[in-house]
């Protein structure tokens, strides 16, 4: 290198910047997805529901307990008892119901009597009806009913057989020298050959425990059994007026009470009868007592009876109960409303102060419902203590009264708008509401499915 020359400047090589556009776009998309997912999980989810017409399927089948005027009849002798009246039939005062045989002659006669029994058409018809009714209502879950049916048929056969012994009864009594005692009915009534301890049960004393059929015990009074002095021989149902008590909710009881009378179908024989409704607030719940003045004889041997309350289905707009909400409104007298501003909107003239001077201003408001004297208006535009002025008058009204409306949030316009509803009928999931009301809903309106998820005027789109 020659003296006097500067050394050449060495520049470091730099690689050109390679920007991967694809990676940048992917990163932006990834961040966008994360933000969307975050917003989805942290924001309120407003789900809409389209209002349709429909009706409710409500279970109106109940198991009730029968309350009747029942009088047990006790014997005054000991011996073998034999029945001559069929269970479930009506006997008059002085009619023979049973005998108490201290000698055992009647029991021997029954065992040795080989006289054929001729069944009449009525007898055959009754037996066929009993068999058909039992077959129609038989359930393997309630097998104990087959024993009741057995005793009913046995009672029918015994009555027919005893007709053949009636002619020999006086002869037997003569031979037994008064050891066969006739037990005649002390009063007229329907004969029942069983006792269960509920003969004097009062409707006001019914509890959930008593209504539990699994704990129920009925003692059948069997023919040819040995009885002692003072034992119950049979009982008489002495009044055609009777009742069925069912357990229900306070709301359902109130609905039935408003009807006063309901049409009841007895599932045992598919017959119907009108019952008068009474509500009982007993020790452990709400019960409904249905009073009847007929059909008692058909169920005289039954303590628990399955019934269905027949009602016309209410039709209207069907909405889920989750959409229903209660909201408070101010009550304002109707004669204070005016039309004002540059539109036909309704509102009120509110008294206000400007620079210490009393003046009035028009407050536009939405009416949500009305009574005979008042309008229901929103609590946003007015406040408690505000004064509104009556048109063409010096009268003023202080905002003070508050009322509550039941309704839903309509979202047809893209925001939550409260609409009043009138519930006709409801069950656990849905309600039927009146359609085409002045301040209410119409078919195909869209409402918020979960009312708790929104507030007034929240945007839904």
């Amino acid at each position: 290198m020659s003296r006097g020359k500067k050394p050449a400047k060495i520049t470091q090589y730099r690689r050109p910047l390679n920007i991967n556009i694809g990676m940048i776009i992917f990163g932006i998309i990834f961040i966008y997805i994360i933000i969307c997912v975050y917003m989805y999980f942290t924001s309120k989810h407003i789900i809409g529901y389209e209002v349709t017409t429909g009706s409710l399927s409500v279970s109106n089948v109940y198991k009730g307990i029968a309350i009747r005027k029942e009088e047990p009849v006790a014997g005054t002798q000991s011996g073998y008892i034999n029945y001559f009246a069929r269970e479930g039939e009506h006997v008059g005062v002085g009619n023979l119901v049973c005998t108490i045989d201290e000698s055992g002659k009647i029991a021997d006669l029954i065992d040795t009597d080989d006289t054929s029994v001729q069944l009449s058409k009525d007898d055959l018809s009754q037996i066929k009806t009993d068999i058909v009714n039992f077959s129609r209502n038989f359930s393997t879950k309630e097998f104990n009913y087959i024993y009741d049916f057995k005793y009913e048929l046995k009672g029918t056969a015994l009555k027919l057989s005893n007709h053949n012994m009636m002619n020999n009864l006086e002869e037997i009594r003569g031979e037994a020298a008064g050891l066969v005692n006739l037990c005649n009915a002390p009063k007229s009534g329907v004969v029942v050959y069983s006792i269960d301890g509920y003969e004097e049960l009062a409707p006001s004393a019914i509890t959930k425990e008593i209504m539990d059929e699994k704990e129920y015990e009925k003692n059948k009074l069997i023919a040819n059994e040995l009885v002692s002095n003072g034992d119950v021989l049979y009982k008489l149902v002495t009044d055609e007026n009777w009742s069925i008590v069912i357990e229900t909710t306070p709301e359902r009881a109130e609905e039935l009470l408003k009807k006063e009378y309901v049409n009841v179908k007895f599932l045992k024989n598919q017959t119907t009868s009108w019952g008068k409704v009474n509500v009982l607030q007993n020790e452990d719940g709400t019960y409904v007592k249905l009073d009847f003045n007929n059909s008692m004889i058909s169920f005289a041997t039954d303590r628990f009876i399955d019934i269905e309350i027949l009602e016309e289905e209410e039709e209207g707009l069907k909405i889920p109960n989750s959409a229903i909400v209660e909201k408070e409104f101010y009550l304002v007298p109707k004669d204070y409303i005016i039309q004002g501003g540059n539109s036909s909107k309704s509102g009120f003239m509110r008294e206000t102060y400007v620079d210490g001077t009393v003046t009035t201003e028009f407050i536009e408001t939405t009416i949500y419902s009305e009574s005979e004297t008042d309008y229901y208006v929103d609590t946003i535009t007015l406040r408690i203590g505000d004064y509104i002025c009556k048109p063409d008058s010096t009268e003023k009204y202080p905002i003070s009264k508050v009322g509550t409306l039941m309704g839903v949030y309509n979202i047809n316009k893209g925001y939550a708008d409260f609409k009043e509803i009138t519930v006709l009928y409801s069950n656990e999931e849905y309600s039927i509401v009146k359609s085409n009301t002045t301040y209410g809903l119409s078919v195909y309106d869209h409402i918020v499915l979960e009312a708790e998820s929104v507030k007034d005027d929240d945007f839904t789109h």
Side-chain angles (χ1 to χ4, degrees), residues 49 125 192 283:
Y49 175 86
S125 176
V192 177
E283 178 182 345

Side-chain angles (χ1 to χ4, degrees), residues 6-19:
K6 294 182 178 181
K9 186 178 182 179
I10 300 174
T11 303
Q12 185 177 3
Y13 175 76
R14 294 183 179 181
R15 298 178 64 182
L17 181 62
N18 292 325
I19 300 175

Side-chain angles (χ1 to χ4, degrees), residues 131-143:
I131 294 173
V132 168
N133 287 337
F134 173 77
S135 300
R136 180 184 299 160
N137 297 286
F138 176 71
S139 171
T140 55
K141 296 180 180 179
E142 297 176 331
F143 189 77

Side-chain angles (χ1 to χ4, degrees), residues 127-140 145-146 149 152-153 267-268:
I127 292 175
K128 289 179 180 178
T129 300
D130 292 343
I131 294 173
V132 168
N133 287 337
F134 173 77
S135 300
R136 180 184 299 160
N137 297 286
F138 176 71
S139 171
T140 55
Y145 285 158
I146 197 169
F149 179 62
E152 288 176 6
L153 286 185
L267 301 186
K268 176 180 178 180

Side-chain angles (χ1 to χ4, degrees), residues 352-367:
T352 186
Y353 291 86
V354 178
D355 298 329
T357 303
V358 178
T359 183
T360 58
E361 61 178 338
F362 176 75
I363 300 297
E364 185 180 303
T365 187
T366 301
I367 297 173

Side-chain angles (χ1 to χ4, degrees), residues 60-216:
N60 281 323
V61 176
Y62 301 90
K63 183 178 291 292
I65 188 168
I67 304 295
R68 297 173 287 257
K69 188 175 182 180
E70 304 173 17
E71 298 185 17
V73 178
T76 57
Q77 297 90 18
S78 299
Y80 292 93
I81 187 168
N82 292 282
Y83 295 111
F84 287 82
R86 182 185 176 188
E87 185 175 39
E89 78 171 357
H90 191 277
V91 296
V93 178
N95 288 164
L96 178 65
V97 177
C98 61
T99 60
I100 296 179
D101 178 14
E102 299 178 38
S103 65
K105 279 187 168 292
I106 295 182
D108 293 339
L109 181 60
I110 292 174
D111 292 336
T112 58
D113 186 18
D114 58 357
T115 306
S116 61
V117 177
Q118 297 296 324
L119 298 179
S120 66
K121 290 183 179 181
D122 290 341
D123 294 331
L124 287 172
S125 176
Q126 183 60 54
I127 292 175
K128 289 179 180 178
T129 300
D130 292 343
I131 294 173
V132 168
N133 287 337
F134 173 77
S135 300
R136 180 184 299 160
N137 297 286
F138 176 71
S139 171
T140 55
K141 296 180 180 179
E142 297 176 331
F143 189 77
N144 57 301
Y145 285 158
I146 197 169
Y147 293 102
D148 292 338
F149 179 62
K150 169 188 173 182
Y151 290 126
E152 288 176 6
L153 286 185
K154 185 175 181 180
T156 301
L158 183 61
K159 176 188 174 184
L160 298 173
S161 175
N162 286 348
H163 277 306
N164 294 325
M165 293 191 298
M166 290 296 290
N167 294 329
N168 300 323
L169 188 57
E170 288 300 325
E171 179 182 347
I172 295 172
R173 291 188 69 205
E175 295 177 1
L179 296 178
V180 177
N181 301 288
L182 303 182
C183 300
N184 298 320
K187 58 175 63 177
S188 62
V190 176
V191 179
V192 177
Y193 296 134
S194 65
I195 54 174
D196 56 11
Y198 291 168
E199 284 76 19
E200 297 183 1
L201 178 64
S204 59
I206 291 177
T207 62
K208 295 180 185 294
E209 183 179 358
I210 290 175
M211 293 289 293
D212 187 1
E213 192 176 8
K214 294 179 181 178
E215 303 298 324
Y216 174 72

Side-chain angles (χ1 to χ4, degrees), residues 327-330 365 368 377-383 402 456:
K327 188 174 182 295
E328 288 188 344
F329 295 88
Y330 293 139
T365 187
Y368 290 89
V377 300
D378 210 327
T379 57
I380 297 176
T381 54
L382 295 171
R383 298 184 300 273
V402 176
D456 289 287

